[in-house]
Amino acid sequence: MSSKMQSSGSIAQARRTVQQLRLEASIERIKVSKASSDLMRYCGEHAKNDPLLMGIPASENPFKDKKPCTVL
Amino acid sequence: MACQGLQKGETLASLKTESDGLKKKLEVERGKLNDVELHQVAEKTEVLGALSIKTRRVLKGHGAKVLCMDWCKDKRRLVSSSQVRTSTDLWTREHGVSLPCTWVMACAYAPSGCAVACGGLDNKCSVIPLSLDKDENLAAKKKSVAMHTNYVSGCTFTNSDMQMLTSSGDGTCALWDVESGQLLQSFHGHTADVLSLDLAPSETGNTFVSGGCDRKANVWDMRSGQNIQSFESHESDINCVKYYPSGDAFASASDDATCRFYDLRADREVAVYQKDSIVFGASTVDFSLSGRLLFAGYNDYTINAWDVLKGNRVSILFGHENRVSRVKLSPDGTAICSASWDNTLRIWA
């Protein structure tokens, strides 16, 4: 492969990298404090519906074996 | 021979200088918004109590390492691989089937529950329709959809049975039409094997995240093929990526023995889940339904449950006798399934 082909391949790659970085540098960002409080709010709002977090009674969990009952 | 000529004043060196400058600018811009740490904001949240999660089922029947699994939307069935098997119905314990697919590293249930996709060392991802007739010749019905030039590491259906997303050791991800096998979009940007992908929760639109051996996690626009955001803070291969349930963040598991949490709107890493005592690679992660817990499977045979907000470990799940290759939350959030090199799957609840 001639050096001209090689360097044109690298140039194309370098151009792509620059274009990609320009795009990434230009996006809108929010502060970590705001992002964190939003994440916390989501967790808080959904916590009560999270079976693994809250624990649900064995009778309602299909994976927990129910104790057999006998009707007397 | 046609070559792309240089623009006026542009050399390889000038482009390198510009890209170095842009990388610095990215660091500075991200740094400006890093006004506080997530765990500091989370100090006002209650500390989590001990979790009462234990093994409820052990599924044997694979004669080899289980590399991958996925839940069916009906919450009762699983598909798992190295050789592909659908599970017992976990509630009624009826038996599942073995499907004609070897060398499988990735498997997924179709949203309808009527088919499974599997792919791996054959460089393909195939779809097999499931049938109630146990004697039906499923090998004949297996259809190749995705064709990569190296192994398929991950696959998922999009929101219907009609489209499938794959990640590959060839460094790309791809979107396929299942019916025709047509390549709809390819995603280039990783510079080494892509090991994992995850689709954003449907409310957040058409994006997905991928992670790989180049230590990068990339977020992609599914329609345009554009790499929207990129995160490079792991010190080794990223084995797994998973979206937080709101779609505003994602977690990753890496051979560097840490899991990390990235917020997409802040465009940076906001937490690292690590301990000096954890020295083996993390292979897999999944969130609980509220996103408060992160379950991570490790090469030291354990699963750790982390408090996503506060950053501390809440629980260790012992039981597997070899590496944990996959953990996945059931569709209704009541259980976690883990797959392991000890040839079993475990259901924890």
Side-chain angles (χ1 to χ4, degrees):
Chain A
M1 188 160 50
S2 78
S3 59
K4 208 172 191 184
M5 258 276 275
Q6 258 180 327
S7 64
S8 97
S10 315
I11 301 248
Q13 177 62 45
R15 265 211 207 103
R16 272 195 298 271
T17 305
V18 167
Q19 267 164 350
Q20 180 61 32
L21 286 167
R22 274 193 199 139
L23 220 86
E24 288 179 29
S26 67
I27 68 165
E28 299 272 315
R29 291 180 194 85
I30 65 172
K31 288 190 177 163
V32 175
S33 52
K34 169 89 173 76
S36 302
S37 64
D38 286 350
L39 291 168
M40 276 172 58
R41 187 167 10 97
Y42 186 91
C43 284
E45 279 168 6
H46 293 86
K48 59 185 184 305
N49 299 322
D50 186 339
L52 291 171
L53 192 63
M54 297 284 114
I56 59 176
S59 53
E60 284 168 33
N61 189 328
F63 298 109
K64 290 182 178 171
D65 285 317
K66 308 180 211 331
K67 292 198 163 44
C69 343
T70 12
V71 178
L72 296 165
Chain B
M1 181 168 48
C3 296
Q4 177 85 55
L6 292 165
Q7 313 278 32
K8 194 172 186 349
E10 197 185 68
T11 62
L12 200 55
S14 75
L15 284 169
K16 176 101 183 35
T17 310
E18 189 176 357
S19 78
D20 286 344
L22 284 166
K23 278 186 191 158
K24 282 240 160 50
K25 180 177 180 203
L26 249 178
E27 238 178 86
V28 166
E29 291 299 313
R30 281 171 168 170
K32 277 184 197 166
L33 299 161
N34 194 23
D35 51 346
V36 74
E37 300 270 333
L38 171 60
H39 66 85
Q40 290 172 301
V41 176
E43 264 159 31
K44 32 189 163 141
T45 325
E46 278 167 38
V47 173
L48 293 177
L51 303 175
S52 59
I53 298 175
K54 350 204 275 257
T55 302
R56 304 291 172 176
R57 298 271 195 286
V58 180
L59 306 182
K60 304 182 185 178
H62 273 283
K65 297 173 183 168
V66 190
L67 302 178
C68 178
M69 57 75 45
D70 189 25
W71 286 90
C72 180
K73 283 213 164 97
D74 70 3
K75 308 164 272 190
R76 302 159 68 139
R77 290 179 293 160
L78 311 168
V79 62
S80 55
S81 60
S82 46
Q83 294 83 46
V84 180
R85 304 176 65 85
T86 61
S87 69
T88 56
D89 180 314
L90 297 167
W91 296 0
T92 66
R93 306 192 197 226
E94 283 164 24
H95 287 291
V97 294
S98 252
L99 299 168
C101 223
T102 50
W103 309 115
V104 178
M105 296 167 66
C107 59
Y109 244 110
S112 67
C114 298
V116 295
C118 54
L121 293 175
D122 58 355
N123 297 0
K124 296 192 280 192
C125 193
S126 307
V127 175
I128 308 171
L130 298 174
S131 160
L132 291 171
D133 178 359
K134 291 190 171 62
D135 297 324
E136 189 158 1
N137 181 5
L138 294 172
K141 301 192 124 190
K142 179 174 150 192
K143 181 164 81 165
S144 290
V145 173
M147 311 279 254
H148 279 279
T149 54
N150 207 327
Y151 63 90
V152 171
S153 53
C155 66
T156 181
F157 286 86
T158 58
N159 49 17
S160 77
D161 286 19
M162 303 282 74
Q163 287 185 359
M164 186 167 75
L165 205 49
T166 54
S167 59
S168 170
D170 67 16
T172 71
C173 297
L175 180 67
W176 309 86
D177 178 276
V178 171
E179 188 61 35
S180 62
Q182 199 196 338
L183 173 67
L184 298 172
Q185 185 63 259
S186 66
F187 304 88
H188 297 264
H190 280 288
T191 52
D193 304 24
V194 186
L195 298 180
S196 174
L197 58 75
D198 189 38
L199 209 52
S202 41
E203 308 79 52
T204 24
N206 289 300
T207 61
F208 71 95
V209 61
S210 63
C213 296
D214 57 359
R215 314 177 191 176
K216 286 208 199 142
N218 289 337
V219 180
W220 308 86
D221 179 311
M222 273 203 327
R223 289 203 200 98
S224 66
Q226 183 68 50
N227 176 3
I228 314 170
Q229 285 169 279
S230 187
F231 302 88
E232 193 169 1
S233 60
H234 273 294
E235 295 166 15
S236 187
D237 297 357
I238 296 178
N239 296 313
C240 184
V241 287
K242 193 79 180 71
Y243 269 95
Y244 179 78
S246 72
D248 288 333
F250 69 92
S252 57
S254 165
D255 278 352
D256 68 10
T258 71
C259 296
R260 295 178 195 240
F261 191 41
Y262 301 87
D263 187 285
L264 293 171
R265 295 177 311 147
D267 188 38
R268 62 176 297 124
E269 173 193 288
V270 292
V272 184
Y273 308 108
Q274 65 187 343
K275 272 180 107 65
D276 290 343
S277 54
I278 300 176
V279 297
F280 284 84
S283 58
T284 176
V285 279
D286 202 358
F287 288 96
S288 70
L289 215 56
S290 65
R292 182 67 193 267
L293 295 171
L294 182 71
F295 292 91
Y298 293 78
N299 294 342
D300 66 2
Y301 315 172
T302 65
I303 298 168
N304 288 327
W306 298 89
D307 181 327
V308 168
L309 302 177
K310 290 183 182 286
N312 60 294
R313 179 171 59 186
V314 180
S315 205
I316 314 176
L317 305 181
F318 293 104
H320 278 298
E321 295 167 12
N322 207 320
R323 295 191 186 191
V324 179
S325 54
R326 184 65 45 110
V327 293
K328 237 177 194 177
L329 187 73
S330 67
D332 59 359
T334 53
I336 289 269
C337 181
S338 58
S340 167
W341 285 20
D342 68 9
N343 299 9
T344 71
L345 295 130
R346 279 175 184 249
I347 310 281
W348 310 79

